[in-house]
Amino acid sequence: MTEEVQKHSVHTLVFRSLKRTHEMFVSDHAKPVALDEQSYKTKMTVMMRAEYKVVLHMPVLKEGRDRGPLHASHPYGQPGYPLPDAGPDYLVTGTHPYPSSPGVAFTADTQIQKMPSEAGVHSMALALPSSQARQEASRTAASEADIHRHAGGAERSQPPQHALSLMEGGTTTSTLVPRKAPTMPRPQWHPPWKLYRVISGHLGWVRSIAVEPGNQWFVTGSADRTIKIWDLASGKLKLSLTGHISTVRGVAVSTRSPYLFSCGEDKQVKCWDLEYNKVIRHYHGHLSAVYDLDLHPTIDVLVTYSRDATARVWDIRTKANVHTLSGHTNTVATVKCQSAEPQVITGSHDTTIRLWDLVAGKTRATLTNHKKSVRALVLHPRQYTFASGSPDNIKQWKCPDGNFIQNLSGQQYGVLVSGADNGTIHMWDWRTGYNFQRIHAAVQPGSLDSESGLFACVFDQSESRLITAEADKTMKVYKEDDTATEESHPVNWKPEILKRKRF
């Protein structure tokens, strides 16, 4: 017989074997009455014990017992052989909890134990300690709840609309409790500001501005290398001072003496005696352009900052360099001094703000929330807070440690004013951060549209006038609109959920 015939025969034999077995079962089902009942039961009992002896004692599932007694029935629905009563639920313990394969019998170590009752299971679950996962979940839930509870003190965030409540024990349940999301409080109404005077006279960009303590005049520094003093009421030029050989970047008027201080890109820091209108002191030490300065309000100390990434503390009378505040990794762009701690605050192009210990000359805190250069700082005149301005946003901080308060996004406590390189002015409600007005004044005739930019702005001592120094070589003066009312200029505000901002 060839190999091909042998293979064919094998396939045929297998098929026929299956067919023959099937026919045999059909025959048994077709003629069950051919056997008497006793013979049938005897036959099935022998078959069950011969083929399923090792698994007949397996525990009965509770679900199966609930549906009724389990019988070993005939594969095609004939009355089956009742299994022995398994009694209550039990589990098998020992070296072989279940047979690893047919024909493997239980050993002498195998024990049969009854399952505990449901009440016992419940009491045991209550006695067990909490799982590690549940403890971590509880800690996480508590920390998130704490964040949402202090939504006004940290960065504004939007909590979930529902809180998951976990209960320890055997009857653990999860409940969804609605929680009202915090919303921004209604801002105070402020009258709008309007432009009422444009002052010209400089031949270059106006880079700095300061108002004298008596509120009679103000001083400006410009890229035309001059310092000019203007009458605040009339806007007329009173005096021009020359002496710098490059752009004048900063000016400040002392509240303790008749001195005017200036600095510029020529690395010079000068002290002017306004009784004689001449320079009486120079402060040497900076290695690059000096961008601005500020005076301490209660002691004779001057702080300047520079492109050399340092701020220097000077004794006004002796001209001594008391401290060199180093730590920034890029140009220092702004500085502010106050009588309370921290007495010196600096902002830099390295995106950080540093709070300084003036006595030790060291950093007491570094704020890294901004993602772009910190270009401006301002101290609140009555609150123990300050604000920082950057291209990403404006942030409010609490002294003395620089705790974050809130963001003012979008480019009764007062008004914060911010100016931008594109010439726009934004008016903000300090308490809520609501932007209630945007102003974009036109450049003076003869200037390019690209010269629409603000370099500095300051309120006068009465806080009723705002003076800006601009790239179109002018100074603009703004005042509140006395004719405006809440009806004519309503607050365009609606409650909104506080959203989380990255710092």
Side-chain angles (χ1 to χ4, degrees):
M1 183 181 294
T2 63
E3 184 179 358
E4 181 180 356
V5 175
Q6 289 177 352
K7 290 183 179 181
H8 179 73
S9 300
V10 170
H11 283 288
T12 305
L13 287 173
V14 171
F15 176 76
R16 287 187 177 181
S17 297
L18 294 174
K19 182 177 179 182
R20 181 174 179 81
T21 305
H22 175 69
E23 289 176 351
M24 185 170 61
F25 274 97
V26 172
S27 300
D28 290 340
H29 285 284
K31 297 182 271 187
V33 296
L35 300 172
D36 57 12
E37 184 176 356
Q38 185 62 32
S39 299
Y40 179 77
K41 287 185 177 181
T42 301
K43 180 179 178 180
M44 293 303 299
T45 300
V46 172
M47 181 184 297
M48 294 293 291
R49 290 181 177 176
E51 299 184 11
Y52 302 103
K53 178 176 65 174
V54 295
V55 294
L56 283 177
H57 66 284
M58 293 288 287
V60 181
L61 294 177
K62 186 176 184 299
E63 293 79 359
R65 196 175 69 252
D66 291 342
R67 292 193 297 267
L70 182 64
H71 292 77
S73 59
H74 193 279
Y76 290 89
Q78 292 299 323
Y81 174 77
L83 290 174
D85 185 12
D89 292 348
Y90 63 93
L91 53 86
V92 181
T93 62
T95 55
H96 297 283
Y98 294 96
S100 59
S101 62
V104 177
F106 284 175
T107 67
D109 297 331
T110 303
Q111 300 175 357
I112 298 179
Q113 299 177 351
K114 292 185 178 181
M115 288 286 288
S117 63
E118 292 186 5
V121 172
H122 179 64
S123 61
M124 184 181 298
L126 290 175
L128 291 174
S130 301
S131 65
Q132 184 68 21
R134 183 170 298 173
Q135 289 176 356
E136 293 177 356
S138 301
R139 286 197 296 269
T140 303
S143 62
E144 289 178 355
D146 183 68
I147 290 173
H148 301 321
R149 186 164 57 251
H150 298 87
E155 290 242 14
R156 301 293 190 174
S157 59
Q158 181 177 359
Q161 298 298 317
H162 298 87
L164 180 63
S165 175
L166 298 175
M167 298 174 61
E168 297 289 347
T171 57
T172 302
T173 58
S174 296
T175 58
L176 291 177
V177 181
R179 177 181 296 168
K180 185 178 180 180
T183 57
M184 185 179 75
R186 182 178 181 86
Q188 179 184 354
W189 182 81
H190 300 280
W193 292 69
K194 63 180 181 181
L195 176 67
Y196 89 103
R197 177 172 292 159
V198 178
I199 302 172
S200 59
H202 277 294
L203 302 179
W205 291 352
V206 185
R207 300 303 303 255
S208 55
I209 189 167
V211 179
E212 63 96 11
N215 212 38
Q216 298 298 314
W217 49 267
F218 67 95
V219 58
T220 57
S222 170
D224 61 9
R225 299 172 294 177
T226 65
I227 300 169
K228 293 182 181 293
I229 296 176
W230 312 81
D231 182 76
L232 185 57
S234 63
K236 294 182 179 180
L237 178 64
K238 298 180 67 173
L239 180 68
S240 292
L241 301 174
T242 59
H244 282 281
I245 59 175
S246 187
T247 301
V248 181
R249 294 293 296 264
V251 291
V253 183
S254 174
T255 59
R256 299 167 54 84
S257 56
Y259 294 158
L260 166 68
F261 296 87
S262 64
C263 63
E265 294 181 1
D266 53 10
K267 309 178 189 177
Q268 298 183 27
V269 180
K270 299 176 182 290
C271 175
W272 303 77
D273 188 333
L274 296 178
E275 292 182 353
Y276 300 97
N277 297 333
K278 66 178 184 179
V279 177
I280 59 173
R281 295 187 185 97
H282 289 87
Y283 303 89
H284 299 286
H286 280 293
L287 305 177
S288 188
V290 185
Y291 282 164
D292 208 349
L293 49 80
D294 197 26
L295 293 166
H296 196 285
T298 57
I299 57 177
D300 290 331
V301 165
L302 168 69
V303 182
T304 60
Y305 60 89
S306 168
R307 186 180 176 183
D308 60 14
T310 65
R312 293 179 181 262
V313 181
W314 309 89
D315 186 313
I316 292 176
R317 294 169 294 180
T318 66
K319 301 182 289 184
N321 186 183
V322 180
H323 292 302
T324 298
L325 307 179
S326 58
H328 287 293
T329 59
N330 205 331
T331 302
V332 181
T334 179
V335 67
K336 288 295 175 184
C337 298
Q338 61 180 359
S339 56
E341 293 294 339
Q343 297 186 56
V344 179
I345 307 172
T346 58
S348 170
H349 288 329
D350 64 8
T351 74
T352 66
I353 300 169
R354 287 181 179 261
L355 314 183
W356 299 88
D357 182 340
L358 183 58
V359 176
K362 297 180 180 179
T363 303
R364 58 177 293 162
T366 302
L367 313 180
T368 60
N369 302 50
H370 280 292
K371 300 299 183 291
K372 295 185 179 181
S373 302
V374 180
R375 299 185 179 182
L377 294 170
V378 63
L379 301 170
H380 195 283
R382 288 174 290 277
Q383 293 182 0
Y384 198 24
T385 58
F386 69 95
S388 58
S390 172
D392 53 5
N393 53 28
I394 300 171
K395 296 181 185 292
Q396 290 180 357
W397 311 89
K398 184 177 179 62
C399 295
D401 299 321
N403 297 325
F404 179 83
I405 300 175
Q406 67 175 350
N407 279 333
L408 279 68
S409 299
Q411 207 37 3
Q412 77 206 14
Y413 284 83
V415 175
L416 175 68
V417 179
S418 61
D421 291 340
N422 60 4
T424 60
I425 301 173
H426 285 202
M427 305 285 189
W428 309 85
D429 177 67
W430 175 265
R431 180 172 65 94
T432 62
Y434 172 69
N435 181 203
F436 68 87
Q437 187 180 8
R438 296 176 177 84
I439 303 172
H440 193 174
V443 297
Q444 73 167 345
S447 298
L448 302 174
D449 291 338
S450 60
E451 292 182 313
S452 176
L454 269 75
F455 292 119
C457 61
V458 64
F459 285 106
D460 70 352
Q461 302 299 333
S462 67
E463 299 180 354
S464 62
R465 285 169 286 195
L466 174 69
I467 310 170
T468 63
E470 309 208 6
D472 63 355
K473 309 178 184 68
T474 67
M475 291 75 68
K476 296 183 174 65
V477 184
Y478 296 84
K479 294 181 69 174
E480 290 182 338
D481 187 352
D482 298 332
T483 63
T485 64
E486 292 191 51
E487 290 74 22
S488 62
H489 295 80
V491 176
N492 184 20
W493 170 87
K494 60 182 179 179
E496 59 182 23
I497 296 175
L498 298 173
K499 299 181 178 179
R500 185 177 185 88
K501 299 288 185 184
R502 298 191 170 272
F503 43 90

